Amino acid sequence: DRNTHNLKVAGSNPAPATTFRMYQAYILTNRSGRTYIGISVDPSTRLAQHNTGLSKWTRGKGPWVLNWTSKPMSLGEARKLENLLKWQKGGMGLEKLKALHGS
């Protein structure tokens, strides 16, 4: 049927348009040298959330400083990088990953 894919046909229910969001991995540090690694669409806004206690894992351990952000990438790529960074946390591999993926 010709009208099967015609979005203007009465009664058709097309899927909503999706936007492609870019994510960044980020690294926060605090005065005592603790490190937190995460991903966000907006690392600066996320930093504010960490510093106001909205994140369970960083609450009461701040103030946090945004130490590093990656280049923008897809969610899947950002999650993979986040896991790699967490795996290398405290090792020399972390500096290599930051150099490769930094913005």
Side-chain angles (χ1 to χ4, degrees), residues 16 28 30 44 58 60 62 64 70 73 77 80 87-88 91-93:
L28 305 179
N30 68 9
S44 296
T58 56
W64 294 93
S70 71
M73 59 187 72
E77 291 170 322
K80 285 179 189 174
W87 187 71
Q88 288 295 330
M92 288 307 297

Side-chain angles (χ1 to χ4, degrees), residues 9-21:
V9 172
S12 69
N13 189 13
T18 57
T19 56
F20 184 74
R21 299 181 83 179

Side-chain angles (χ1 to χ4, degrees), residues 27 68-71 81 85 92-103:
I27 299 175
W68 176 85
T69 57
S70 71
K71 298 173 192 170
L81 179 56
L85 291 167
M92 288 307 297
L94 181 63
E95 293 306 314
K96 289 178 185 175
L97 286 169
K98 285 167 59 176
L100 279 172
H101 298 280
S103 54

